[in-house]
Amino acid sequence: MTVPPRPLARADKVSLWRYMKLFRSDILSAQPAKLYRAWMAEFKTPFFHSYMVNDPALLKLVLKERSDDFPKSDRISAGLRPLLGNSVFLTNGEVWKRQRRIIDPAFEGGRLRDTFPAIWAAGEAAVARLAPMADNTPREIEAVTSHAAADVIFRTLFSIPIEHKIAAQVFDQFRDYQRTQPILNLAAFIRGPRWMPRFFKRETKQTARSIRALINRLVTDRQAAIETGNGPDDLATKIMTTPDPKTGERFSNDEMVDQVAIFFLAGHETSASALAWTLYLLALYPDWQDKVVQEAVGMTADFSRLSTLKATRDVFREALRLYPPVPMMVREATKPEVFRKRAVKSGAQIVLSPWHLHRHERLWLNPDAFDPARWNTDAGRASSRHAYMPFSNGPRVCTGAGFAMIEGVVLLAQLLKAYRFEVVVGKTPMPVAHLTVRAKDGIWLRFVPRE
Ligand code: HEM
């Protein structure tokens, strides 16, 4: 049975110079193979001191039980500040809590049902966009899923499609931004003077300003529409009209710009990565593709039928296990701790790695195999309870987790119903951690219409 691609881990012992070189080129292959078996590992170099944690009890401690004591690491956040300002993704403490109180209601179950028609419409648009490419020529599929996921965000947030003038500009400029500012970069880990993060490349700052100006126009227009009672019933209106249950305050327009920037960034890059890898896996395992198609044939634009897409959901979950779009997260210890009998100093970086956890040899059966059926076994369910966190866990869990599960399953069903996907011989995608887990030279597939 073919095992889907994964980067080769490095040897357990390498020189510091080699480690830094690997780290700079790709954080996944820079890690030693033993991390797929270890409960915890300490990394001590002259530049950084961090602990990677795979032990489920420690993960629970850091993410759930004492999450306030392990805030987001400033070093990682710094690179994103010019674009994201004070968005919920970067803040900590009381500011973050207040932001979640205002945002969370928009993503609760009932509201998700309301976003379904917009997600479905984006799926139909993606199917139509693919039509001229469906001629069995190898196509890079990450670009396709990125476009589709961006469309989903604009339709659900602002009731506009990606072809809308401002939406299209935001989408293009985000691409430029990501080229100049990767989320997981080496610099982020290296301790520098406090002022260092403020020195961003000029180009990065300019792009960030321009994206924020575009989003500001959308938010200002929406505020005006809300005031005249004409705000469309979508996520933006919901968030902008929700008062904080504690203080009664709403988001100011500036704060809303910060949040929209993160919804777009966190919401489209991640979903695009997940969809692209899932399509690749379905091309690699045609039996599973057939199962998804069987379900998809009966699917209509009816939210209540979503529960019938069981195999599709299992496939998507399995893809999120093997290729978690957010491969690693970093927290900071705010006081001295003892982890597995080892002293952890205040200020240490705590790395939580869905990538390693999801492939942990002591926590999963056949961790590297693609096996969506595992989700219906006792062993699979047990592993998922303590070793599965594509959306993180605890109070800081991804706001859009429920949304992303609907989006993923619906778009897959629509795309698979319309097209048959096949791998391209000689073009096996190799995962690398960019902003999200992407393929080194893209994900190439061929596809043709089913009828
Ligand atoms: C497959 C798709 C997605 C994956 C795998 C994913 C994963 C994650 C992960 C792992 C985090 C935690 C990061 C950390 O703590 O460092 C996160 C946070 C977040 N995600 Fe997602 N996400 C997805 C889709 C979305 C969507 C569609 C939205 C919004 C529309 C969204 C909005 C957010 C926000 C606002 C946060 C910050 C939450 C906080 O810090 O309180 N995500 N996501």
Side-chain angles (χ1 to χ4, degrees):
M1 184 77 164
T2 335
V3 170
R6 79 171 226 200
L8 282 180
R10 69 160 165 88
D12 280 346
K13 282 204 186 316
V14 292
S15 68
L16 176 62
W17 182 82
R18 172 102 187 110
Y19 183 45
M20 293 315 237
K21 199 163 168 250
L22 285 166
F23 206 118
R24 194 182 284 276
S25 67
D26 170 38
I27 200 169
L28 295 180
S29 51
Q31 309 304 334
K34 65 181 175 203
L35 288 189
Y36 295 100
R37 296 185 295 275
W39 295 124
M40 181 165 117
E42 186 173 355
F43 296 94
K44 206 170 172 182
T45 76
F47 308 106
F48 58 82
H49 195 172
S50 66
Y51 296 84
M52 181 181 283
V53 172
N54 282 329
D55 178 343
L58 281 178
L59 288 171
K60 199 164 155 202
L61 181 89
V62 172
L63 289 174
K64 285 190 177 165
E65 292 164 355
R66 287 181 41 217
S67 57
D68 282 351
D69 293 338
F70 298 97
K72 280 221 159 166
S73 163
D74 238 16
R75 280 196 241 171
I76 299 295
S77 311
L80 293 167
R81 275 211 198 278
L83 178 65
L84 301 181
N86 256 338
S87 92
V88 65
F89 193 78
L90 301 183
T91 51
N92 280 313
E94 285 310 313
V95 176
W96 168 77
K97 285 185 185 163
R98 171 176 165 275
Q99 292 172 337
R100 288 286 304 227
R101 286 196 297 268
I102 298 177
I103 292 168
D104 283 356
F107 288 90
E108 275 162 10
R111 285 302 296 189
L112 288 183
R113 175 184 272 271
D114 298 342
T115 61
F116 178 79
I119 296 178
W120 182 268
E124 284 187 328
V127 168
R129 217 178 290 119
L130 257 62
M133 299 184 231
D135 56 4
N136 216 21
T137 311
R139 307 278 180 185
E140 204 288 301
I141 212 77
E142 283 179 329
V144 168
T145 54
S146 193
H147 208 146
D151 195 23
V152 168
I153 291 291
F154 278 109
R155 285 175 192 262
T156 51
L157 257 182
F158 283 107
S159 306
I160 53 177
I162 190 72
E163 288 77 22
H164 181 281
K165 215 170 118 213
I166 297 184
Q169 284 183 54
V170 172
F171 180 50
D172 283 347
Q173 298 201 14
F174 258 99
R175 253 188 308 212
D176 294 345
Y177 188 84
Q178 280 157 30
R179 261 198 296 272
T180 58
Q181 179 57 60
I183 209 171
L184 276 166
N185 60 354
L186 181 63
F189 269 98
I190 298 177
R191 186 176 289 287
R194 281 267 157 213
W195 48 262
M196 205 167 84
R198 276 185 273 143
F199 286 79
F200 298 105
K201 281 189 213 137
R202 236 182 65 189
E203 197 192 337
T204 311
K205 269 192 179 165
Q206 255 169 15
T207 316
R209 257 201 302 273
S210 153
I211 295 174
R212 291 180 61 88
L214 289 165
I215 296 178
N216 191 34
R217 275 167 58 195
L218 291 175
V219 170
T220 316
D221 287 355
R222 175 55 57 89
Q223 188 54 41
I226 291 171
E227 276 161 22
T228 56
N230 294 317
D233 183 19
D234 53 22
L235 291 175
T237 297
K238 171 73 182 163
I239 294 169
M240 288 170 76
T241 55
T242 299
D244 171 3
K246 251 192 172 168
T247 63
E249 284 169 27
R250 297 188 182 162
F251 277 144
S252 67
N253 279 9
D254 273 0
E255 281 176 294
M256 186 62 188
V257 171
D258 293 345
Q259 314 313 331
V260 173
I262 188 58
F263 292 149
F264 187 75
L265 186 71
H268 107 276
E269 264 285 302
T270 46
S271 293
S273 158
L275 280 167
W277 282 107
T278 314
L279 288 173
Y280 171 74
L281 289 165
L282 287 171
L284 194 60
Y285 300 97
D287 291 0
W288 279 101
Q289 185 165 168
D290 290 346
K291 286 184 196 166
V292 169
V293 173
Q294 268 169 29
E295 289 182 347
V297 168
M299 184 63 193
T300 56
D302 173 3
F303 183 80
S304 62
R305 298 193 71 138
L306 202 57
S307 57
T308 61
L309 302 179
K310 289 192 170 54
T312 316
R313 190 166 303 105
D314 290 343
V315 163
F316 193 55
R317 273 188 205 155
E318 184 70 344
L320 287 171
R321 184 183 72 80
L322 287 169
Y323 302 102
V326 180
M328 290 178 206
M329 300 173 276
V330 186
R331 300 290 190 264
E332 194 162 310
T334 52
K335 48 178 98 155
E337 304 282 347
V338 178
F339 280 7
R340 297 188 66 85
K341 299 191 185 147
R342 253 187 272 178
V344 172
K345 283 193 186 145
S346 172
Q349 306 291 297
I350 313 294
V351 180
L352 316 163
S353 174
W355 178 273
H356 291 93
L357 188 71
H358 292 181
R359 291 172 182 261
H360 202 280
E361 292 161 16
R362 299 202 237 173
L363 294 168
W364 292 93
L365 285 176
N366 293 329
D368 289 327
F370 174 71
D371 178 17
R374 75 170 78 237
W375 295 95
N376 296 309
T377 64
D378 289 344
R381 276 192 285 263
S383 299
S384 79
R385 271 194 290 278
H386 51 258
Y388 186 64
M389 50 171 201
F391 298 105
S392 183
N393 243 324
R396 259 208 122 121
V397 68
C398 170
T399 329
F403 179 102
M405 286 308 294
I406 297 178
E407 172 190 10
V409 168
V410 168
L411 260 62
L412 284 171
Q414 286 171 291
L415 291 171
L416 268 298
K417 186 174 170 181
Y419 304 107
R420 185 193 347 275
F421 289 84
E422 279 175 31
V423 293
V424 178
V425 177
K427 279 209 178 276
T428 303
M430 199 38 75
V432 285
H434 284 169
L435 186 64
T436 50
V437 170
R438 289 301 177 109
K440 192 157 168 276
D441 300 307
I443 295 181
W444 292 80
L445 295 176
R446 304 171 189 280
F447 48 96
V448 288
R450 281 195 181 270
E451 282 140 25

